[in-house]
Amino acid sequence: SSAPRSPTSSPSPPTGGPTARPKRRHWFGCEPITYGGTDYLLILGGDGFCSTDPDFSGAPSNGYQDDCWRFNGTLFERMAAPGTVSWAGRMLASHGVVDGKLWATGGQNGLLGESAGSCVVHNDLHVSTDCGATYTQSLADAAAGPTRPAYTGLTRIVEFLGRGFIVAGGTYDTAASATRSYPRELWSFDPADPASGFTQHPNPPWLGTELPMVIGAVAPRFARWKLRQAKRCCSGVSGTSQGARR
């Protein structure tokens, strides 16, 4: 395997119509959403690691994408062009629909084979009310603390008890840290007041895992089942912050 090549010239696909296609990518967000009475599958961000195809390499850097597409079962349509969203291109980000809005958080840049200085893990939060066409930043990346997880990624955001919950997740090994991390933590945010930050809840009873959610329509139901298990085993799932990190 090799790291993504530097951006090279390649034909830009149409952004609408029967031949429109997003760039091929790896570890992108894939989120079902209903907007204007129509069901769509959104494709957000991603990377082109381990490819020699120039279609995987492009702005902003090393093939990390920051665009958004939607698919209605027949046609692809680009909703947000590269460089127009409030979040930086990344892979492994978490997405979900809470309070009828699309939310995005976490993810990382940098893998083994890339420079340590380019490795960034994210704990920001962004929201879209128009099916991914535009985003507003609710929280910028910041140091970990009582209201900010160190990292959220390789998981998804699930609506539960009127809040957006982030269940477990993990990081990939990078040039800055060769050890993968699987934090066994449970965090949530209030969609009515996202700027107030995240609330940490007691750690759930399961072990930390890299990919705790399955992809597709069953993921929200599976995640809510896991949250119900956590609620039965741990107090404070809908209460106040746990405070100290593990």
Side-chain angles (χ1 to χ4, degrees):
S1 300
S2 60
R5 297 192 303 177
S6 300
T8 59
S9 59
S10 60
S12 297
T15 59
T19 61
R21 296 289 186 278
K23 280 179 176 259
R24 289 169 286 180
R25 61 195 70 197
H26 166 256
W27 280 129
F28 55 89
C30 189
E31 185 64 32
I33 189 172
T34 301
Y35 184 75
T38 301
D39 294 332
Y40 296 100
L41 188 66
L42 298 184
I43 296 171
L44 308 104
D47 72 291
F49 185 63
C50 296
S51 173
T52 58
D53 191 300
D55 202 29
F56 278 91
S57 299
S61 65
N62 292 338
Y64 297 116
Q65 305 300 317
D66 61 346
D67 56 353
C68 177
W69 290 71
R70 72 182 183 186
F71 180 63
N72 65 2
T74 303
L75 299 175
F76 286 95
E77 179 185 5
R78 192 175 73 182
M79 300 300 294
T84 65
V85 299
S86 61
W87 42 272
R90 64 191 65 183
M91 62 180 181
L92 308 174
S94 303
H95 305 274
V97 177
V98 180
D99 192 30
K101 306 178 184 73
L102 174 67
W103 300 82
T105 185
Q108 73 181 76
N109 305 87
L111 287 169
L112 290 175
E114 299 181 33
S115 66
S118 68
C119 299
V120 179
V121 294
H122 300 281
N123 62 3
D124 50 358
L125 182 65
H126 305 259
V127 61
S128 172
T129 60
D130 53 10
C131 201
T134 61
Y135 291 82
T136 300
Q137 183 183 77
S138 300
L139 294 168
D141 283 332
T147 63
R148 300 299 293 275
Y151 167 83
T152 58
L154 274 174
T155 182
R156 64 184 297 133
I157 303 170
V158 178
E159 186 169 10
F160 186 68
L161 300 175
R163 297 176 66 86
F165 275 80
I166 302 160
V167 187
T171 64
Y172 259 30
D173 37 355
T174 71
S177 176
T179 302
R180 297 192 180 192
S181 172
Y182 312 121
R184 187 169 65 93
E185 297 179 350
L186 182 63
W187 294 80
S188 72
F189 64 89
D190 181 359
D193 185 24
S196 62
F198 294 89
T199 295
Q200 186 178 10
H201 305 284
N203 287 346
W206 57 81
L207 295 176
T209 55
E210 181 174 280
L211 294 168
M213 300 302 139
V214 293
I215 297 174
V218 300
R221 283 174 283 179
F222 177 64
R224 284 192 287 270
W225 174 83
K226 293 189 76 172
L227 287 167
R228 285 195 292 272
Q229 305 307 305
K231 185 179 180 183
R232 281 197 283 267
C233 295
C234 310
S235 62
V237 168
S238 60
T240 59
S241 169
Q242 182 182 357
R245 295 179 50 77
R246 66 178 179 88

